[in-house]
Amino acid sequence: MSERQNVLIIGGGIIGHSISYYLNKSGVSAMVIDKQESGRKATRAAAGMLGVHSENAQANVFYKFCERSRELYQSLSQELFRLTSINIGLSRTGMIEVALCEEEKNKLRDKKAFFPELEWLEGEKLSEKIPSLNGSGAVGLHMEKDGHVEPTHVCEAFKRAALHFGGKLIEDHSVWGIEKNEQGYSIQLGNETLLVDRVVVAAGAESGPWFEATGLVDPMVPTKGEYISIKPKKNIWDETLFFRDFYIVPKPDGRCVIGATTKPYDRGHFPTAGGLSELLNHVFSVFPTLQSEPLQDCGAGIRPGTKDGFPIIGEHPTMAGLYFATGHYRNGVLLAPATGELMKDLILDKKVDSSITGLLSPNRLVRKGEHSYEHSN
Amino acid sequence: MSERQNVLIIGGGIIGHSISYYLNKSGVSAMVIDKQESGRKATRAAAGMLGVHSENAQANVFYKFCERSRELYQSLSQELFRLTSINIGLSRTGMIEVALCEEEKNKLRDKKAFFPELEWLEGEKLSEKIPSLNGSGAVGLHMEKDGHVEPTHVCEAFKRAALHFGGKLIEDHSVWGIEKNEQGYSIQLGNETLLVDRVVVAAGAESGPWFEATGLVDPMVPTKGEYISIKPKKNIWDETLFFRDFYIVPKPDGRCVIGATTKPYDRGHFPTAGGLSELLNHVFSVFPTLQSEPLQDCGAGIRPGTKDGFPIIGEHPTMAGLYFATGHYRNGVLLAPATGELMKDLILDKKVDSSITGLLSPNRLVRKGEHSYEHSN
Amino acid sequence: MSERQNVLIIGGGIIGHSISYYLNKSGVSAMVIDKQESGRKATRAAAGMLGVHSENAQANVFYKFCERSRELYQSLSQELFRLTSINIGLSRTGMIEVALCEEEKNKLRDKKAFFPELEWLEGEKLSEKIPSLNGSGAVGLHMEKDGHVEPTHVCEAFKRAALHFGGKLIEDHSVWGIEKNEQGYSIQLGNETLLVDRVVVAAGAESGPWFEATGLVDPMVPTKGEYISIKPKKNIWDETLFFRDFYIVPKPDGRCVIGATTKPYDRGHFPTAGGLSELLNHVFSVFPTLQSEPLQDCGAGIRPGTKDGFPIIGEHPTMAGLYFATGHYRNGVLLAPATGELMKDLILDKKVDSSITGLLSPNRLVRKGEHSYEHSN
Amino acid sequence: MSERQNVLIIGGGIIGHSISYYLNKSGVSAMVIDKQESGRKATRAAAGMLGVHSENAQANVFYKFCERSRELYQSLSQELFRLTSINIGLSRTGMIEVALCEEEKNKLRDKKAFFPELEWLEGEKLSEKIPSLNGSGAVGLHMEKDGHVEPTHVCEAFKRAALHFGGKLIEDHSVWGIEKNEQGYSIQLGNETLLVDRVVVAAGAESGPWFEATGLVDPMVPTKGEYISIKPKKNIWDETLFFRDFYIVPKPDGRCVIGATTKPYDRGHFPTAGGLSELLNHVFSVFPTLQSEPLQDCGAGIRPGTKDGFPIIGEHPTMAGLYFATGHYRNGVLLAPATGELMKDLILDKKVDSSITGLLSPNRLVRKGEHSYEHSN
């Protein structure tokens, strides 16, 4: 791709701005368009866990993609601060996945077998780490390299760093249609038309229609998640805790974010009374002492889930120059750096790891019976 | 009391401003002092129910005081709007007290016997009024004259109407001490001193030390109450509903305020995670369909409870010119008009109903063994 | 139109819900769809003035449409309360348009000539009404029947009353395309398709692409307006005041809403520092005493302006069953009732006043030179 | 002081919690009492500048106290994170003091003479650092070691670290009186009485009455300051900028906090419309491009100013065991660590630098004519 080419990225969440950052830094002129304000949807509702191990049961291809992304945060933290004075809140205080019943314990033992470097915690060792835990017999797996970031800070920092490298941003504008022509794509924006070489759809839970409109199967499963946060009067533990029914992320301002419900195909923008009550009942069964702590806030976000559980990252099977980078479900914050880097490499025709691009390619969304792509899955 | 006299009212809640309104309107110059902004404590946390019948089991002296106060709101609504352009949100859509178990039903039957004019609801009659109620066998008592107001609007309107009649207001100042002298009272306010003829303590849950400091028994039981509000997508019922463990007040903007927990001697300014969870669990057991509705906000307030359950309204037994108007527990909004009117009559030496002044007088707080007041209780 | 027919209304602002209310009440099944939560865009940012006279210089056709709408609010206020328990905050405290310089005074004199029933205020008469006005020589025109409502309450009440009459509502869903077929319209909603008989575009400032997509000239001029509100410590005046550069609306909770800047083609969702500063500088030049009052909040909304200054209400010139009800600029709240009533009459083929339907018809948007439609204007 | 002794600290702002942290860490049992929630008054309103050079014109005793405090933040940042997982947001991106007119430039030249290590910026050097500055001829002084912290995070971290070391905290309780007795002090708290060995008054702008009540001259000048924050769409500069009429602090989340007005003896809790307008007019005269940026929030705080401009830190001249640590005006955040350390040393009878304790001692508040202290000023 020549330098005069340019890329339009549809969607100003953490994924879109990460792609814009990597592209503009590499000399490709990229512009992000968002229908409202950047970083206000799933990005804002995310707790920011970098849960490489909580999100993976085995050290497979996808695990390595997650791990790569977590490692990228290490250098990004400094570089983004240097470029933008924004502190992304990277914290590597570790995570502990806790199992309470036999079934969960068996799963955790399997995970320990796959990741022998993780530390097994039980008995006193566990209760020393999490003194207030109400569950004799609980066991835990300590993932000391995992941690969390502040999603809205990361998104704002990517956005500003991209602008620093010459990127562009249009907020408060919807894309009303895209059309392929000889040179690239023509984009209809209210009463203007933009001509660009390439388009990346990074529209999170609202990406579905772009698949339909370009002849693919819509893989999206918009999935509402609700969270609450409390602000304990004193520090209780340092690590992010991960249970089957909820997680707790201690944030750098003293809040603990507790998430999250899972409501497939629910696009509602609001947290429900029942969802929050369900979360609280789960939490109190394990941490009864949290009942006396102040509730701080609550919210909801729509995660961009997919039918097969994997993101869609790559070029459209038949429309050259149209890319997808969506479907990150609850791993959008974790995977933003690796997704941005990968998209930049794909657009610049750099050599990429074919095992991960194969796994995530939109080729798996070609409609059955449309023979030419049938065996490309 | 001559017109040149003036009154200082300590506490800028709904009670303090009501007293100021009635005094200034009658030509007595009254000034309210609040340590922060007016109307931000119990007044702001109140749901605004005018629950004459839900708060009383019999048509006794206190009931009549409540009823008088509710009736005063009728004319106040228009007068305050005329004077201040503030709409106090008076709504007389009625209340229904609902009984679910036998014990509650017996109490409700007793109440019906005392108030034969109230309508008994059961079976279809009840489910027509409250279609979503999940409780076969429930019975209800319909109090059609009761309703609710917007407490912060009432407080703001009293405040502005008092100013209109020449009243004064000092916010953001604490009273550091009061001293009786020959002419009246000397009040220390940071680095100023005020001289006034009379003082009214209307400091809500923070009134306690004023009793102690003037030689009386401290009757106050500060009692935290927590509430949440949800905003159902459609209208479900019109009436305020009153259950043993919670109430629901439909507000004029479409929210339903659900209250309230009861935590004696808890002065905490924040709603706890456990308190809200407890409320939600109560509500969902009766209205399971509310689980899918959006949660709007939550909060907490400290009610000025008292040991014998009645407000303290009247003059200090030994310090002439010092009055109390506090201890309204959860009836501060309901009783604000009648309290203001009564205090005005007491200060102007008007004839008042001795049955109510006897019941509420601070004389009952004289320390035992201090013989002169022993039998005045 | 037979009763089995149904109508889809695109846009859940005050206009869309008013139409839904009038249709459902008349037995036509109507459904509102909004891409996010109802009533959050221009409706939420509106001050709610019912400025029949401030918005019109002469008693012409449009004036009468405005007046009709204001009068409808009178009965709606009670009916909506009865149906939904929501108080729409109708206040008829009057408006005063104030002229400071000669040019403005001349315009005001002309207006007085057209509307002789309005009261002319100058000298003491004016300063009695607005004591704090810093402008000797100012004159005013008193419009005592005008007033204001609470826009979000009106919208919520229309929404719930429509649901009461069997209406439907889908929030958090975007319309991705509409297609005319033999029976009516097919609507693509994410991964579903709806079939409806008729469609009404009531999408406010985002209506533009629907004109383009259906072959018409896009008439929309999205125009950002910013506002602030302050909460004076005491009541200053009762009327809404209307100046050349700003207006002040006293709200029923004691706030004064001060609006509004005018930024054509600015779709930004946020209030700018410069816009608010400009407003404050205008206000303080006339009311210097407001400088010491507390600032409460601020915001911005995008008004659906149009190129010729009039709303677009009526059926598409060539696509039968497709209607527009948009372009109300800053009169959306005022005109919501009359627009709902008119759309209901159009859809039910009732007799309507052709002078107003002629003025507002989308026929004026047919592209010139596309001869087949040239004479349909 | 023996280890069984204990200290009550009145006031839960950043000063009170810092003292509690240093004391508890040293084995002295200290308890903080706050009348509401910790860290909500001046601490919350502070921008968090560590302006050692902007606050001092010469390298004198007070300058060294400021410098010491700034240096303490370096190690505190890590230690507090280790103890509490709270990130205090320490940023050492430097400050630039800018002079626009001749008078300001002369002062800045004097400062440069006193602090030769600071970098002088003019012409291109300055406009490179601050490209958007609208002021030809402006000069600047670059203080590269200064920076800022997040005041509420620092306060919360001190609070939790103190609790970690066994400290105690009572919120939502007012102190109604203190009385000296043989062993120490008896403290009246609503209906309880506490007995403590020593008392520290760290009540910020509300400290005044404690001086009066203990026979000293009240030195306090409560001084309201108002601020606004905007969130520029892109990064403009990294340093904190300091002008005569305002400052701008870039925060780690992308906001720029602009402060602050100065209103002596104004205790109002709210930002005024006029105060914010004044600030904005100052800012726009230097940075006109900021007019188009979004306004984020605004607020007000009451700074604990003093008549001679210096804090009051030290023991009461006649009441042994009663200490003051207040009057930090706008340097409370900067001086919190050094104040905590100094108070700890005073209470533990450690050797302290008598030049600074002499400067800040409450001895200067002895009433004239009360001869025994006359020459101790």
Side-chain angles (χ1 to χ4, degrees), chain B residues 24-38:
Chain B
N24 283 292
K25 194 180 158 192
S26 303
V28 180
S29 170
M31 171 190 285
V32 170
I33 183 160
D34 196 274
K35 64 182 187 177
Q36 218 203 339
E37 189 184 355
S38 288

Side-chain angles (χ1 to χ4, degrees), chain C residues 11-227:
Chain C
I14 197 170
I15 298 293
H17 286 299
S18 169
I19 297 168
S20 180
Y21 164 75
Y22 278 101
L23 285 175
N24 282 292
K25 193 180 157 191
S26 303
V28 179
S29 170
M31 172 191 283
V32 169
I33 183 161
D34 195 275
K35 63 181 188 177
Q36 218 203 335
E37 189 184 356
S38 286
R40 303 286 282 187
K41 299 292 187 103
T43 298
R44 188 164 67 160
M49 273 185 291
L50 304 181
V52 172
H53 294 92
S54 54
E55 292 294 329
N56 288 283
Q58 302 180 24
N60 53 20
V61 167
F62 191 65
Y63 165 82
K64 279 171 198 148
F65 191 56
C66 292
E67 195 182 34
R68 166 76 186 154
S69 205
R70 188 194 64 197
E71 293 315 307
L72 283 171
Y73 267 119
Q74 204 67 6
S75 54
L76 276 170
S77 173
Q78 290 159 45
E79 184 169 352
L80 291 174
F81 183 74
R82 195 175 51 75
L83 292 169
T84 70
S85 299
I86 290 177
N87 181 338
I88 64 167
L90 176 62
S91 162
R92 296 192 76 166
T93 41
M95 293 179 69
I96 301 174
E97 186 169 348
V98 183
L100 299 168
C101 69
E102 268 323 299
E103 192 193 337
E104 292 164 47
K105 288 179 192 176
N106 286 335
K107 280 191 191 165
L108 210 59
R109 274 178 211 114
D110 290 350
K111 189 176 279 193
K112 166 72 181 161
F114 276 110
F115 301 107
E117 70 278 17
L118 302 182
E119 185 191 10
W120 187 257
L121 301 171
E122 57 179 67
E124 270 185 36
K125 253 186 167 173
L126 183 63
S127 57
E128 211 171 88
K129 283 270 184 201
I130 323 174
S132 49
L133 179 68
N134 178 32
S136 65
V139 301
L141 201 54
H142 187 202
M143 303 138 174
E144 68 177 345
K145 287 190 177 168
D146 291 352
H148 51 87
V149 290
E150 280 297 298
T152 54
H153 291 206
V154 176
C155 187
E156 185 74 19
F158 274 140
K159 185 190 97 180
R160 294 195 184 188
L163 296 174
H164 171 86
F165 288 122
K168 292 200 169 36
L169 170 63
I170 303 182
E171 291 183 317
D172 301 300
H173 278 74
S174 295
V175 175
W176 283 86
I178 69 173
E179 213 169 291
K180 184 154 179 49
N181 54 32
E182 270 171 50
Q183 286 77 34
Y185 288 87
S186 147
I187 314 290
Q188 196 198 328
L189 278 195
N191 30 21
E192 279 171 278
T193 299
L194 286 179
L195 299 173
V196 298
D197 299 306
R198 309 200 187 190
V199 172
V200 181
V201 174
E206 297 179 54
S207 302
W210 296 106
F211 292 97
E212 297 254 6
T214 59
L216 300 179
V217 171
D218 175 0
M220 303 303 298
V221 184
T223 302
K224 178 167 166 175
E226 295 151 305
Y227 67 89

Side-chain angles (χ1 to χ4, degrees), chain A residues 145-164:
Chain A
K145 287 189 178 168
D146 291 352
H148 51 86
V149 290
E150 280 296 299
T152 54
H153 291 206
V154 176
C155 186
E156 185 74 19
F158 273 140
K159 185 190 96 180
R160 293 195 185 188
L163 296 175
H164 171 85

Side-chain angles (χ1 to χ4, degrees), chain B residues 337-348:
Chain B
T339 301
E341 186 190 51
L342 176 58
M343 283 304 304
K344 181 258 300 172
D345 288 345
L346 288 172
I347 283 173
L348 288 173

Side-chain angles (χ1 to χ4, degrees), chain B residues 8-9 11-12 16-17 20 30-34 38 168-171:
Chain B
L8 180 81
I9 299 158
H17 286 298
S20 180
M31 171 190 285
V32 170
I33 183 160
D34 196 274
S38 288
K168 293 200 169 35
L169 170 63
I170 303 182
E171 292 183 317

Side-chain angles (χ1 to χ4, degrees), chain B residues 124-244:
Chain B
E124 270 185 37
K125 252 186 166 171
L126 183 63
S127 57
E128 210 170 89
K129 283 270 183 203
I130 323 174
S132 49
L133 179 67
N134 178 33
S136 66
V139 302
L141 201 54
H142 187 200
M143 303 137 173
E144 68 176 347
K145 287 190 177 167
D146 292 351
H148 51 86
V149 289
E150 279 297 298
T152 54
H153 291 206
V154 176
C155 186
E156 185 74 19
F158 273 140
K159 185 190 97 180
R160 294 194 186 188
L163 296 175
H164 170 86
F165 287 123
K168 293 200 169 35
L169 170 63
I170 303 182
E171 292 183 317
D172 300 301
H173 277 75
S174 296
V175 174
W176 283 85
I178 69 172
E179 212 169 294
K180 185 154 178 49
N181 53 33
E182 270 170 51
Q183 287 76 36
Y185 288 86
S186 146
I187 314 290
Q188 197 199 330
L189 281 193
N191 31 21
E192 278 171 279
T193 299
L194 286 179
L195 298 173
V196 298
D197 299 305
R198 308 199 188 191
V199 173
V200 181
V201 174
E206 298 180 55
S207 302
W210 296 106
F211 292 97
E212 297 254 6
T214 59
L216 301 180
V217 171
D218 175 0
M220 304 303 299
V221 184
T223 302
K224 180 168 166 174
E226 295 152 305
Y227 67 90
I228 54 172
S229 75
I230 61 173
K231 191 164 183 175
K233 284 177 286 293
K234 53 164 143 179
N235 211 46
I236 318 186
W237 56 74
D238 301 328
E239 291 84 4
T240 293
L241 304 185
F242 204 86
F243 292 82
R244 188 191 53 193

Side-chain angles (χ1 to χ4, degrees), chain D residues 3-271:
Chain D
E3 276 203 7
R4 56 150 280 284
Q5 292 209 320
N6 55 40
V7 177
L8 180 81
I9 299 158
I10 300 175
I14 198 169
I15 297 293
H17 286 299
S18 170
I19 296 169
S20 180
Y21 165 74
Y22 278 101
L23 285 175
N24 282 292
K25 194 182 156 191
S26 303
V28 180
S29 169
M31 171 190 284
V32 170
I33 184 161
D34 196 274
K35 63 182 187 176
Q36 217 204 337
E37 189 185 354
S38 286
R40 303 286 281 186
K41 298 292 187 104
T43 298
R44 188 163 69 159
M49 274 185 290
L50 305 181
V52 172
H53 295 93
S54 55
E55 291 294 329
N56 286 286
Q58 304 179 23
N60 52 19
V61 166
F62 191 64
Y63 165 81
K64 278 171 197 150
F65 190 57
C66 291
E67 195 182 33
R68 166 76 187 154
S69 204
R70 188 193 65 198
E71 292 316 307
L72 283 172
Y73 268 119
Q74 205 66 6
S75 54
L76 276 171
S77 172
Q78 289 158 46
E79 184 170 352
L80 291 174
F81 183 74
R82 194 175 52 75
L83 292 169
T84 69
S85 299
I86 291 178
N87 182 337
I88 64 167
L90 177 61
S91 163
R92 296 192 73 168
T93 42
M95 293 179 70
I96 301 174
E97 186 169 348
V98 183
L100 298 168
C101 69
E102 268 324 298
E103 192 193 337
E104 292 164 46
K105 287 179 193 176
N106 286 335
K107 278 191 192 165
L108 209 59
R109 273 179 211 115
D110 291 350
K111 189 177 280 194
K112 166 72 180 160
F114 275 110
F115 301 107
E117 70 278 17
L118 302 182
E119 186 190 10
W120 187 258
L121 300 172
E122 57 180 66
E124 271 186 35
K125 253 186 165 171
L126 183 63
S127 58
E128 211 171 88
K129 283 270 182 203
I130 322 173
S132 48
L133 180 68
N134 177 33
S136 65
V139 300
L141 201 53
H142 187 201
M143 304 137 175
E144 69 177 346
K145 287 191 177 166
D146 292 353
H148 52 85
V149 289
E150 280 296 299
T152 54
H153 291 206
V154 175
C155 186
E156 185 74 19
F158 273 139
K159 185 190 96 181
R160 293 195 185 188
L163 296 175
H164 170 85
F165 286 123
K168 293 199 168 35
L169 171 63
I170 304 182
E171 292 183 315
D172 301 301
H173 277 76
S174 295
V175 175
W176 283 85
I178 69 173
E179 212 170 294
K180 185 153 178 48
N181 54 32
E182 268 170 54
Q183 288 76 35
Y185 288 86
S186 146
I187 314 291
Q188 196 198 330
L189 282 193
N191 30 22
E192 277 172 280
T193 299
L194 285 179
L195 298 173
V196 297
D197 300 305
R198 308 199 188 191
V199 172
V200 181
V201 174
E206 298 179 55
S207 302
W210 297 106
F211 292 98
E212 298 253 6
T214 59
L216 300 180
V217 172
D218 175 0
M220 303 303 298
V221 185
T223 302
K224 180 168 167 174
E226 296 151 305
Y227 67 89
I228 55 171
S229 76
I230 61 173
K231 192 165 184 176
K233 284 176 286 294
K234 53 163 140 180
N235 211 45
I236 317 187
W237 55 74
D238 301 329
E239 290 84 4
T240 293
L241 303 185
F242 204 87
F243 292 82
R244 188 191 53 193
D245 295 324
F246 67 96
Y247 58 76
I248 307 188
V249 185
K251 304 301 289 182
D253 62 356
R255 281 177 307 127
C256 285
V257 177
I258 297 168
T261 58
T262 299
K263 300 184 171 172
Y265 294 106
D266 183 339
R267 299 164 182 269
H269 56 276
F270 53 81

